[in-house]
Each structure stands twice: as structure tokens, then as C-alpha cells.
Short mmCIF file of all heavy atoms in Angstrom, two decimals:
data_model
loop_
_atom_site.label_atom_id
_atom_site.label_comp_id
_atom_site.label_asym_id
_atom_site.label_seq_id
_atom_site.Cartn_x
_atom_site.Cartn_y
_atom_site.Cartn_z
N LEU I 1 42.18 78.92 38.12
CA LEU I 1 43.14 79.62 37.21
C LEU I 1 42.48 80.08 35.96
O LEU I 1 42.77 81.17 35.52
CB LEU I 1 44.31 78.59 36.96
CG LEU I 1 45.54 79.26 36.20
CD1 LEU I 1 46.09 80.39 36.96
CD2 LEU I 1 46.53 78.08 36.03
N ARG I 2 41.58 79.28 35.41
CA ARG I 2 41.03 79.64 34.05
C ARG I 2 40.11 80.90 34.16
O ARG I 2 40.27 81.75 33.39
CB ARG I 2 40.20 78.43 33.49
CG ARG I 2 39.69 78.57 32.14
CD ARG I 2 39.11 77.28 31.71
NE ARG I 2 38.54 77.29 30.35
CZ ARG I 2 37.20 77.38 30.26
NH1 ARG I 2 36.39 77.44 31.28
NH2 ARG I 2 36.73 77.43 29.03
N SER I 3 39.20 80.88 35.14
CA SER I 3 38.39 82.00 35.28
C SER I 3 39.18 83.32 35.71
O SER I 3 38.91 84.38 35.26
CB SER I 3 37.39 81.74 36.28
OG SER I 3 37.82 81.43 37.51
N LEU I 4 40.30 83.08 36.48
CA LEU I 4 41.07 84.17 36.92
C LEU I 4 41.87 84.76 35.71
O LEU I 4 42.02 86.03 35.67
CB LEU I 4 42.08 83.73 38.02
CG LEU I 4 42.80 84.83 38.73
CD1 LEU I 4 41.88 85.67 39.53
CD2 LEU I 4 43.82 84.17 39.72
N TYR I 5 42.21 83.96 34.73
CA TYR I 5 42.85 84.48 33.55
C TYR I 5 41.91 85.42 32.80
O TYR I 5 42.42 86.51 32.45
CB TYR I 5 43.30 83.35 32.68
CG TYR I 5 43.82 83.89 31.25
CD1 TYR I 5 45.06 84.27 31.15
CD2 TYR I 5 42.96 83.89 30.20
CE1 TYR I 5 45.58 84.71 29.93
CE2 TYR I 5 43.50 84.33 28.97
CZ TYR I 5 44.75 84.77 28.86
OH TYR I 5 45.20 85.24 27.67
N PHE I 6 40.68 85.08 32.55
CA PHE I 6 39.73 85.88 31.89
C PHE I 6 39.35 87.18 32.70
O PHE I 6 39.04 88.19 32.11
CB PHE I 6 38.62 85.14 31.38
CG PHE I 6 38.88 84.11 30.29
CD1 PHE I 6 38.78 82.77 30.56
CD2 PHE I 6 39.30 84.50 29.06
CE1 PHE I 6 39.16 81.84 29.61
CE2 PHE I 6 39.58 83.64 28.10
CZ PHE I 6 39.50 82.28 28.36
N ALA I 7 39.37 86.98 33.99
CA ALA I 7 39.00 88.14 34.90
C ALA I 7 40.07 89.13 34.85
O ALA I 7 39.82 90.40 34.89
CB ALA I 7 38.74 87.61 36.28
N LEU I 8 41.33 88.70 34.81
CA LEU I 8 42.57 89.61 34.93
C LEU I 8 43.14 89.96 33.53
O LEU I 8 44.05 90.71 33.56
CB LEU I 8 43.61 89.01 35.75
CG LEU I 8 43.20 88.88 37.31
CD1 LEU I 8 44.40 88.13 38.00
CD2 LEU I 8 43.11 90.28 37.91
N SER I 9 42.64 89.31 32.46
CA SER I 9 43.38 89.49 31.17
C SER I 9 43.48 90.87 30.77
O SER I 9 44.49 91.19 30.07
CB SER I 9 42.53 88.63 30.12
OG SER I 9 41.27 89.08 30.03
N SER I 10 42.58 91.79 31.09
CA SER I 10 42.64 93.07 30.66
C SER I 10 43.52 94.02 31.49
O SER I 10 43.95 95.14 31.10
CB SER I 10 41.29 93.82 30.55
OG SER I 10 40.67 93.69 31.86
N VAL I 11 43.96 93.48 32.63
CA VAL I 11 44.78 94.28 33.60
C VAL I 11 46.01 93.64 34.02
O VAL I 11 46.73 94.16 34.87
CB VAL I 11 43.93 94.74 34.90
CG1 VAL I 11 42.73 95.55 34.50
CG2 VAL I 11 43.43 93.48 35.65
N LEU I 12 46.35 92.50 33.39
CA LEU I 12 47.54 91.77 33.84
C LEU I 12 48.80 92.64 33.67
O LEU I 12 49.66 92.53 34.45
CB LEU I 12 47.72 90.44 32.92
CG LEU I 12 47.05 89.25 33.44
CD1 LEU I 12 47.18 88.10 32.54
CD2 LEU I 12 47.49 88.85 34.87
N ASP I 13 48.79 93.41 32.64
CA ASP I 13 50.01 94.23 32.36
C ASP I 13 50.27 95.29 33.48
O ASP I 13 51.29 95.85 33.60
CB ASP I 13 49.92 94.88 31.11
CG ASP I 13 50.11 93.92 29.88
OD1 ASP I 13 50.90 93.02 30.05
OD2 ASP I 13 49.45 94.10 28.82
N ARG I 14 49.07 95.57 34.21
CA ARG I 14 49.27 96.52 35.30
C ARG I 14 50.04 96.08 36.51
O ARG I 14 50.65 96.91 37.25
CB ARG I 14 47.84 97.00 35.75
CG ARG I 14 47.01 97.80 34.83
CD ARG I 14 47.56 99.20 34.63
NE ARG I 14 47.76 99.90 35.87
CZ ARG I 14 46.86 100.51 36.48
NH1 ARG I 14 45.62 100.58 36.10
NH2 ARG I 14 47.15 101.11 37.65
N PHE I 15 50.16 94.80 36.72
CA PHE I 15 50.77 94.24 37.86
C PHE I 15 52.36 94.23 37.67
O PHE I 15 53.07 93.24 37.69
CB PHE I 15 50.46 92.82 38.15
CG PHE I 15 48.95 92.73 38.62
CD1 PHE I 15 47.94 92.55 37.76
CD2 PHE I 15 48.71 92.93 39.93
CE1 PHE I 15 46.59 92.52 38.20
CE2 PHE I 15 47.39 92.86 40.45
CZ PHE I 15 46.32 92.67 39.53
N ARG I 16 52.87 95.51 37.55
CA ARG I 16 54.32 95.62 37.18
C ARG I 16 55.29 95.34 38.33
O ARG I 16 56.44 95.04 38.05
CB ARG I 16 54.57 97.13 36.67
CG ARG I 16 54.31 98.09 37.67
CD ARG I 16 54.57 99.50 37.14
NE ARG I 16 53.52 99.98 36.18
CZ ARG I 16 53.76 100.19 34.92
NH1 ARG I 16 54.91 100.00 34.42
NH2 ARG I 16 52.74 100.62 34.12
N TYR I 17 54.84 95.33 39.53
CA TYR I 17 55.77 95.07 40.73
C TYR I 17 55.49 93.69 41.31
O TYR I 17 56.20 93.35 42.27
CB TYR I 17 55.61 96.17 41.79
CG TYR I 17 55.82 97.56 41.22
CD1 TYR I 17 54.89 98.54 41.19
CD2 TYR I 17 57.12 97.90 40.85
CE1 TYR I 17 55.10 99.84 40.82
CE2 TYR I 17 57.46 99.17 40.41
CZ TYR I 17 56.41 100.14 40.43
OH TYR I 17 56.71 101.39 39.86
N LEU I 18 54.48 93.01 40.77
CA LEU I 18 54.07 91.78 41.46
C LEU I 18 55.20 90.70 41.46
O LEU I 18 55.32 89.91 42.38
CB LEU I 18 52.76 91.18 40.83
CG LEU I 18 52.07 90.13 41.69
CD1 LEU I 18 51.70 90.66 43.09
CD2 LEU I 18 50.88 89.67 40.89
N HIS I 19 55.98 90.66 40.42
CA HIS I 19 57.02 89.73 40.36
C HIS I 19 58.08 89.80 41.51
O HIS I 19 58.59 88.84 41.95
CB HIS I 19 57.70 89.70 39.05
CG HIS I 19 58.45 90.98 38.69
ND1 HIS I 19 57.84 92.18 38.51
CD2 HIS I 19 59.82 91.18 38.54
CE1 HIS I 19 58.68 93.17 38.26
NE2 HIS I 19 59.91 92.58 38.23
N TYR I 20 58.20 91.13 41.99
CA TYR I 20 59.09 91.25 43.20
C TYR I 20 58.47 90.62 44.40
O TYR I 20 59.13 89.99 45.26
CB TYR I 20 59.32 92.78 43.36
CG TYR I 20 60.14 93.44 42.39
CD1 TYR I 20 59.64 94.58 41.60
CD2 TYR I 20 61.43 93.00 42.04
CE1 TYR I 20 60.33 95.29 40.72
CE2 TYR I 20 62.15 93.69 41.04
CZ TYR I 20 61.66 94.74 40.43
OH TYR I 20 62.38 95.35 39.43
N GLY I 21 57.21 90.78 44.49
CA GLY I 21 56.45 90.13 45.64
C GLY I 21 56.54 88.64 45.55
O GLY I 21 56.73 87.93 46.65
N LEU I 22 56.33 88.07 44.39
CA LEU I 22 56.40 86.61 44.20
C LEU I 22 57.82 86.09 44.52
O LEU I 22 58.04 85.09 45.18
CB LEU I 22 55.98 86.25 42.84
CG LEU I 22 54.54 86.49 42.42
CD1 LEU I 22 54.32 86.14 40.95
CD2 LEU I 22 53.56 85.65 43.33
N GLY I 23 58.82 86.87 44.00
CA GLY I 23 60.23 86.50 44.28
C GLY I 23 60.45 86.50 45.79
O GLY I 23 61.16 85.64 46.31
N ALA I 24 60.07 87.63 46.45
CA ALA I 24 60.33 87.70 47.90
C ALA I 24 59.55 86.48 48.70
O ALA I 24 60.10 86.02 49.60
CB ALA I 24 59.81 89.06 48.48
N MET I 25 58.35 86.24 48.27
CA MET I 25 57.55 85.19 48.85
C MET I 25 58.32 83.78 48.65
O MET I 25 58.39 83.04 49.61
CB MET I 25 56.19 85.06 48.29
CG MET I 25 55.25 84.08 48.97
SD MET I 25 53.78 83.76 48.11
CE MET I 25 54.32 82.84 46.72
N LEU I 26 58.81 83.52 47.51
CA LEU I 26 59.57 82.35 47.22
C LEU I 26 60.82 82.28 48.03
O LEU I 26 61.24 81.22 48.67
CB LEU I 26 59.88 82.15 45.77
CG LEU I 26 58.76 81.61 44.91
CD1 LEU I 26 59.25 81.60 43.42
CD2 LEU I 26 58.32 80.31 45.28
N ALA I 27 61.54 83.36 48.24
CA ALA I 27 62.74 83.44 49.07
C ALA I 27 62.37 83.16 50.51
O ALA I 27 63.13 82.40 51.15
CB ALA I 27 63.36 84.86 48.90
N PHE I 28 61.31 83.67 50.99
CA PHE I 28 60.92 83.48 52.38
C PHE I 28 60.57 81.97 52.63
O PHE I 28 61.07 81.38 53.58
CB PHE I 28 59.62 84.32 52.77
CG PHE I 28 58.88 83.83 53.90
CD1 PHE I 28 59.55 84.05 55.23
CD2 PHE I 28 57.76 83.15 53.92
CE1 PHE I 28 58.87 83.68 56.37
CE2 PHE I 28 57.10 82.73 54.97
CZ PHE I 28 57.64 82.95 56.24
N VAL I 29 59.80 81.34 51.68
CA VAL I 29 59.44 79.94 51.77
C VAL I 29 60.73 79.04 51.68
O VAL I 29 60.88 78.08 52.48
CB VAL I 29 58.50 79.61 50.63
CG1 VAL I 29 58.28 78.00 50.61
CG2 VAL I 29 57.17 80.25 50.89
N ALA I 30 61.66 79.49 50.88
CA ALA I 30 62.91 78.69 50.70
C ALA I 30 63.74 78.74 52.07
O ALA I 30 64.17 77.70 52.55
CB ALA I 30 63.74 79.26 49.63
N LEU I 31 63.86 79.92 52.60
CA LEU I 31 64.60 80.03 53.94
C LEU I 31 63.80 79.40 55.03
O LEU I 31 64.49 78.76 55.87
CB LEU I 31 64.71 81.58 54.23
CG LEU I 31 65.65 82.33 53.28
CD1 LEU I 31 65.58 83.78 53.60
CD2 LEU I 31 67.07 81.81 53.26
N LYS I 32 62.52 79.35 54.93
CA LYS I 32 61.74 78.59 55.98
C LYS I 32 62.04 77.15 55.91
O LYS I 32 62.20 76.42 56.87
CB LYS I 32 60.28 78.88 55.75
CG LYS I 32 59.27 78.25 56.80
CD LYS I 32 57.83 78.65 56.52
CE LYS I 32 56.93 78.08 57.54
NZ LYS I 32 56.80 76.64 57.48
N MET I 33 62.11 76.60 54.70
CA MET I 33 62.40 75.17 54.43
C MET I 33 63.87 74.85 54.87
O MET I 33 64.11 73.82 55.54
CB MET I 33 62.14 74.85 52.97
CG MET I 33 62.60 73.42 52.60
SD MET I 33 62.34 73.00 50.86
CE MET I 33 60.62 72.47 50.87
N LEU I 34 64.80 75.71 54.57
CA LEU I 34 66.18 75.44 54.82
C LEU I 34 66.58 75.54 56.30
O LEU I 34 67.49 75.00 56.81
CB LEU I 34 67.07 76.30 53.96
CG LEU I 34 66.99 76.12 52.43
CD1 LEU I 34 67.84 77.13 51.65
CD2 LEU I 34 67.56 74.72 52.09
N THR I 35 65.89 76.38 56.98
CA THR I 35 66.17 76.66 58.42
C THR I 35 65.26 75.89 59.38
O THR I 35 65.22 76.31 60.68
CB THR I 35 66.20 78.18 58.63
OG1 THR I 35 64.90 78.74 58.46
CG2 THR I 35 67.29 78.93 57.79
N ALA I 36 64.35 75.03 58.80
CA ALA I 36 63.31 74.43 59.64
C ALA I 36 63.91 73.77 60.93
O ALA I 36 63.23 73.65 61.94
CB ALA I 36 62.49 73.45 58.82
N HIS I 37 65.18 73.18 60.88
CA HIS I 37 65.65 72.47 61.96
C HIS I 37 66.17 73.39 63.10
O HIS I 37 66.30 72.95 64.27
CB HIS I 37 66.93 71.70 61.44
CG HIS I 37 66.56 70.48 60.57
ND1 HIS I 37 65.91 69.45 61.10
CD2 HIS I 37 66.88 70.24 59.33
CE1 HIS I 37 65.72 68.56 60.14
NE2 HIS I 37 66.31 68.97 58.99
N TRP I 38 66.31 74.75 62.76
CA TRP I 38 66.77 75.59 63.81
C TRP I 38 65.75 76.71 64.19
O TRP I 38 65.72 77.16 65.31
CB TRP I 38 68.08 76.34 63.31
CG TRP I 38 69.11 75.33 62.95
CD1 TRP I 38 69.99 74.67 63.81
CD2 TRP I 38 69.47 74.86 61.63
NE1 TRP I 38 70.72 73.77 63.15
CE2 TRP I 38 70.47 73.91 61.78
CE3 TRP I 38 68.98 75.14 60.36
CZ2 TRP I 38 71.02 73.27 60.65
CZ3 TRP I 38 69.54 74.52 59.27
CH2 TRP I 38 70.61 73.59 59.40
N ILE I 39 64.93 77.14 63.20
CA ILE I 39 63.98 78.20 63.45
C ILE I 39 62.62 77.74 62.95
O ILE I 39 62.40 77.18 61.87
CB ILE I 39 64.31 79.48 62.59
CG1 ILE I 39 65.73 79.98 62.88
CG2 ILE I 39 63.29 80.51 62.76
CD1 ILE I 39 66.24 81.07 62.05
N GLU I 40 61.65 77.80 63.99
CA GLU I 40 60.27 77.34 63.62
C GLU I 40 59.42 78.60 63.50
O GLU I 40 59.22 79.33 64.39
CB GLU I 40 59.77 76.44 64.77
CG GLU I 40 58.38 75.98 64.45
CD GLU I 40 57.90 74.97 65.54
OE1 GLU I 40 58.66 74.66 66.45
OE2 GLU I 40 56.67 74.66 65.55
N ILE I 41 58.86 78.69 62.30
CA ILE I 41 57.91 79.75 62.02
C ILE I 41 56.50 79.14 61.85
O ILE I 41 56.30 78.26 61.03
CB ILE I 41 58.26 80.53 60.69
CG1 ILE I 41 59.68 81.06 60.78
CG2 ILE I 41 57.24 81.61 60.41
CD1 ILE I 41 60.16 81.72 59.49
N SER I 42 55.61 79.52 62.68
CA SER I 42 54.25 79.04 62.68
C SER I 42 53.50 79.32 61.38
O SER I 42 53.86 80.24 60.63
CB SER I 42 53.39 79.60 63.79
OG SER I 42 53.09 80.92 63.55
N THR I 43 52.47 78.38 61.11
CA THR I 43 51.82 78.54 59.80
C THR I 43 51.02 79.87 59.71
O THR I 43 50.99 80.47 58.67
CB THR I 43 50.86 77.39 59.70
OG1 THR I 43 51.47 76.19 59.81
CG2 THR I 43 50.09 77.42 58.32
N ILE I 44 50.52 80.31 60.87
CA ILE I 44 49.79 81.58 60.88
C ILE I 44 50.70 82.71 60.55
O ILE I 44 50.40 83.55 59.75
CB ILE I 44 49.16 81.76 62.24
CG1 ILE I 44 48.04 80.81 62.50
CG2 ILE I 44 48.65 83.23 62.39
CD1 ILE I 44 47.41 80.87 63.90
N TRP I 45 51.94 82.73 61.14
CA TRP I 45 52.90 83.79 60.83
C TRP I 45 53.31 83.75 59.35
O TRP I 45 53.53 84.80 58.75
CB TRP I 45 53.99 83.81 61.84
CG TRP I 45 53.83 84.56 63.03
CD1 TRP I 45 53.66 84.01 64.31
CD2 TRP I 45 53.65 85.94 63.16
NE1 TRP I 45 53.44 85.05 65.21
CE2 TRP I 45 53.43 86.25 64.53
CE3 TRP I 45 53.75 86.99 62.27
CZ2 TRP I 45 53.29 87.47 65.00
CZ3 TRP I 45 53.55 88.28 62.78
CH2 TRP I 45 53.35 88.49 64.14
N SER I 46 53.50 82.60 58.84
CA SER I 46 53.87 82.37 57.44
C SER I 46 52.79 83.04 56.59
O SER I 46 53.12 83.69 55.61
CB SER I 46 54.03 80.95 57.10
OG SER I 46 55.09 80.34 57.81
#
């Protein structure tokens, strides 16, 4: 994380849409957790 901060520090502001991707990823992981008893998604597909 530390080296990545200094590597990206000059371009962090450019990632204007990344928060949508992170939000979608968290939503997918949440649904995977909540539906694990009924729907099995393999680790590779995840």
C-alpha cells in the first residue's frame, strides 16, 4: 500500500470512475455471501 500510494499519488485524481467499480465489486461480494446457501459461484468465476 505504501509504495502504491507514492506510485499513484500524481494520478489518483484521474481515477474518477473507479469508485463505481469498487461499489459494484462490494455489491457482488455481498450478494455472493448472502446467497451462498442457494447459489454457488466458484472462486475462479468470482
Side-chain angles (χ1 to χ4, degrees):
L1 187 58
R2 184 168 177 264
S3 58
L4 193 60
Y5 172 81
F6 291 112
L8 290 173
S9 58
S10 61
V11 295
L12 272 177
D13 289 323
R14 290 289 310 277
F15 289 93
R16 64 180 72 242
Y17 301 116
L18 193 58
H19 63 295
Y20 292 124
L22 295 174
M25 186 188 72
L26 281 179
F28 165 72
V29 172
L31 293 175
K32 182 177 184 292
M33 173 179 274
L34 294 173
T35 62
H37 288 295
W38 305 280
I39 303 174
E40 182 178 352
I41 302 176
S42 69
T43 306
I44 292 179
W45 273 110
S46 295

